[in-house]
Amino acid sequence: MDTVKEQDKQRVFDDRSAEIVSRAESMRLGCYATSIWDETLYKAWSSIVYALVPNVDLLEKQLHKFCGLTQADEIVLFEKATFLVISHATHQEHTDVHRYEKISNIIKQFKLSCSKTQAQFKSMEVRNRHFTAFIDLFTSNTYIMIILSNPTIQSSAVYLNIQCARPHFEKFMQQYL
């Protein structure tokens, strides 16, 4: 889509999508208009990963329970190597629809910086007056991000909750995913 004129993009995408769908016969598929210059490529890959996760509805139920127990606004699971979104649970809506892509890019750049200094990235905490974000290694294949807007919840409580939930989710993922 990068080489298509802006005014023609939707028409070209619709035409190409229709052609692919007609040739795919009964296969279920999705088409994505992507660019290497914006977040659309990340969004497409995340959608594909999400579609490939078996029992994603069960995983989301578990994340919603964990979100409620920790009083989190949102919990997101990222794939460990690519930082693509696997699943999420949201108890408070956010206005930035591109936040996962932005977070993924920030973390990947930070991990790259860490590797240049021979350091290993395990976790991070970012705090401002509106929220606190915790990103931590969760299972053997995932990182977890927990967003809290309640300033009375202590960091140590969040890390303890992550530590306690880790074996449950590791077992759950081995059993159902």
Side-chain angles (χ1 to χ4, degrees), residues 13-80:
F13 174 72
D14 292 341
D15 291 348
R16 300 261 167 84
S17 296
E19 182 180 342
I20 291 168
V21 168
S22 71
R23 290 182 184 200
E25 297 174 0
S26 63
M27 289 182 8
R28 195 180 120 240
L29 54 92
C31 297
Y32 304 94
T34 62
S35 168
I36 61 168
W37 303 110
D38 63 20
E39 74 290 332
T40 55
L41 194 57
Y42 177 91
K43 183 101 172 135
W45 276 113
S46 285
S47 297
I48 291 165
V49 168
Y50 182 85
L52 293 174
V53 174
N55 299 311
V56 73
D57 54 332
L58 293 174
L59 178 58
E60 286 181 346
K61 284 180 184 175
Q62 294 294 309
L63 288 175
H64 275 287
K65 285 181 187 176
F66 190 40
C67 200
L69 290 170
T70 58
Q71 299 178 17
D73 298 339
E74 183 172 32
I75 293 181
V76 184
L77 279 184
F78 293 98
E79 194 276 328
K80 185 177 176 181

Side-chain angles (χ1 to χ4, degrees), residues 60-148:
E60 286 181 346
K61 284 180 184 175
Q62 294 294 309
L63 288 175
H64 275 287
K65 285 181 187 176
F66 190 40
C67 200
L69 290 170
T70 58
Q71 299 178 17
D73 298 339
E74 183 172 32
I75 293 181
V76 184
L77 279 184
F78 293 98
E79 194 276 328
K80 185 177 176 181
T82 62
F83 249 82
L84 291 169
V85 172
I86 295 173
S87 187
H88 64 92
T90 304
H91 285 191
Q92 183 169 330
E93 293 302 317
H94 298 274
T95 56
D96 187 356
V97 295
H98 303 296
R99 68 188 177 284
Y100 299 144
E101 298 92 295
K102 291 174 184 176
I103 292 164
S104 178
N105 282 330
I106 290 167
I107 298 301
K108 285 188 282 189
Q109 288 301 315
F110 185 70
K111 285 175 66 174
L112 183 61
S113 296
C114 289
S115 69
K116 288 178 182 178
T117 63
Q118 306 289 316
Q120 293 288 323
F121 172 76
K122 183 190 175 293
S123 66
M124 86 174 2
E125 180 178 335
V126 178
R127 183 181 301 266
N128 67 26
R129 63 186 176 104
H130 301 291
F131 69 90
T132 305
F134 300 87
I135 299 174
D136 199 1
L137 187 59
F138 194 49
T139 66
S140 57
N141 298 315
T142 64
Y143 276 89
I144 191 167
M145 179 177 72
I146 299 178
I147 306 291
L148 299 166

